[in-house]
Amino acid sequence: MDRCLIAVVQNLDNELFTCRSDTTDVPVHLKQYLLSYIAAYRSRGISMGELQTFLQERDTESEDYPSSSPIELRHLDLSGSIGSSVTFNELNGYLAGSVSSGFTSLTHLCLAHPGHNISWLSFLSFALRIPCLTHLSLAYWAVHAEPWSFIAGNLSRLSKTLIKLQYLDVEGCTDWLSVLGTNGVVDWTGGWKNVHSLNLSQGPMPMEVEFEGGPRTSKWIQGEVKVRQVEESINAIRSVHGVDVPPLLVKHGWNPKNGLIKTVIDTEWEKTKRCGSLFGSSCSSVGLEESAAFSLSLYEGT
């Protein structure tokens, strides 16, 4: 099926979206898969017009025209499209003009790798219309120089809106991760008390970390110290409510069984705690390169 879906994506411009009647015959579960393949294999993603066509199904009382009621998606992958070929203003406009939107049953939403035309405020308006969402990816959302208070306010509102959320992916969002661990911002014991899994990965681990050491190793380890701080801060906030709000399962983007990397990060984390510093002060960064080089030399057996 993988090859078939890739072939469909490669021929979209010639076939699928130029034949509305053919589009309506695609089963819902295949449409959901196909949207993910569009995100992965079609450089320009999907447009709002194409998405609207995609959401239509055949009217059971007519063989010639699609139904006016859209299908109900549970999974929607707009990674690479949102903020470029599709905007939240377009989505909100579509939802405002539709009695049955196709999104009311949405549980999984991927908004990773957005374009530059992204708006937190428009996203918050959209979030109000997807109350059943349990899985959300905001991977690689940049802050575009917005002040800390702006990001904090948006995340606070989001945590009070998507109250059924269970999984949150913020891979590559290192610039604003600290907001998530700041007490009183995200509602970890209320609206997001059901979140049990959190992806805090920085992204792909540089090969230097495992094999060479050097400046990129130092920067990456500093990033992991920040991630550790966020993880512990969130779990400290949740622990106040005891067994009703269990600790988060956090994905770091590297194998925790890699004893070498864990040892280096544990060492730097202990330095940070002893210094009483948060998120990479000069005290916590002293000796990072030396420590990494030493541990990596052990890995190489020298």
Side-chain angles (χ1 to χ4, degrees):
M1 187 173 71
D2 179 71
R3 291 183 179 181
C4 291
L5 289 173
I6 292 175
V8 170
V9 171
Q10 292 172 341
N11 289 281
L12 282 181
D13 296 321
N14 298 324
E15 296 178 3
L16 191 60
F17 293 122
T18 58
C19 301
R20 296 179 63 174
S21 59
D22 290 343
T23 306
T24 59
D25 288 331
V26 179
V28 175
H29 72 283
L30 286 181
K31 286 187 176 185
Q32 293 179 153
Y33 276 121
L34 192 52
L35 282 170
S36 292
Y37 275 74
I38 289 173
Y41 295 102
R42 195 187 196 202
S43 59
R44 66 183 182 87
I46 189 170
S47 71
M48 188 64 223
E50 292 170 337
L51 182 60
Q52 286 180 261
T53 300
F54 210 72
L55 291 172
Q56 292 176 330
E57 63 179 349
R58 184 176 294 280
D59 192 328
T60 56
E61 298 179 359
S62 172
E63 294 184 358
D64 298 324
Y65 300 99
S67 170
S68 58
S69 299
I71 61 172
E72 285 291 337
L73 294 177
R74 292 189 179 275
H75 294 213
L76 177 61
D77 189 345
L78 293 178
S79 55
S81 294
I82 195 67
S84 54
S85 55
V86 176
T87 67
F88 285 117
N89 285 337
E90 289 176 322
L91 288 170
N92 289 327
Y94 165 70
L95 294 174
S98 176
V99 176
S100 178
S101 67
F103 297 152
T104 53
S105 300
L106 199 65
T107 59
H108 292 61
L109 176 63
C110 183
L111 302 172
H113 298 281
H116 295 296
N117 189 20
I118 200 76
S119 167
W120 274 93
L121 297 180
S122 296
F123 169 50
L124 289 170
S125 297
F126 179 66
L128 292 170
R129 303 173 184 272
I130 46 175
C132 296
L133 202 70
T134 59
H135 291 64
L136 173 65
S137 175
L138 299 177
Y140 299 95
W141 274 47
V143 295
H144 296 308
E146 288 97 341
W148 187 94
S149 58
F150 178 78
I151 300 297
N154 290 332
L155 287 173
S156 177
R157 289 176 59 189
L158 192 63
S159 66
K160 293 176 173 63
T161 300
L162 300 178
I163 59 175
K164 293 188 177 182
L165 200 69
Q166 299 175 18
Y167 173 87
L168 178 63
D169 173 16
V170 288
E171 178 178 318
C173 300
T174 313
D175 290 342
W176 50 269
L177 279 188
S178 62
V179 178
L180 294 173
T182 302
N183 195 15
V185 176
V186 173
D187 191 10
W188 289 112
T189 59
W192 278 1
K193 68 179 181 180
N194 294 319
V195 174
H196 55 72
S197 298
L198 185 62
N199 182 4
L200 296 179
S201 171
Q202 297 183 69
M205 184 174 66
M207 291 186 64
E208 293 178 8
V209 175
E210 283 204 75
F211 299 109
E212 298 177 14
R216 293 185 68 194
T217 296
S218 175
K219 182 179 179 181
W220 187 86
I221 293 174
Q222 287 179 356
E224 285 304 299
V225 171
K226 293 180 182 180
V227 168
R228 180 76 65 87
Q229 175 65 47
V230 172
E231 178 182 0
E232 294 211 357
S233 296
I234 294 172
N235 282 327
I237 294 169
R238 292 165 71 103
S239 67
V240 175
H241 288 251
V243 295
D244 294 334
V245 186
L248 284 170
L249 297 175
V250 174
K251 179 180 179 182
H252 292 267
W254 51 274
N255 189 348
K257 294 182 180 180
N258 188 322
L260 163 69
I261 297 176
K262 187 176 185 301
T263 298
V264 174
I265 294 171
D266 286 348
T267 300
E268 296 309 320
W269 172 235
E270 290 301 321
K271 287 182 183 179
T272 302
K273 290 197 293 185
R274 287 198 302 270
C275 293
S277 59
L278 297 178
F279 306 111
S281 72
S282 58
C283 178
S284 65
S285 63
V286 171
L288 278 172
E289 292 187 22
E290 292 81 356
S291 175
F294 174 74
S295 297
L296 290 167
S297 70
L298 293 177
Y299 177 78
E300 296 168 349
T302 57

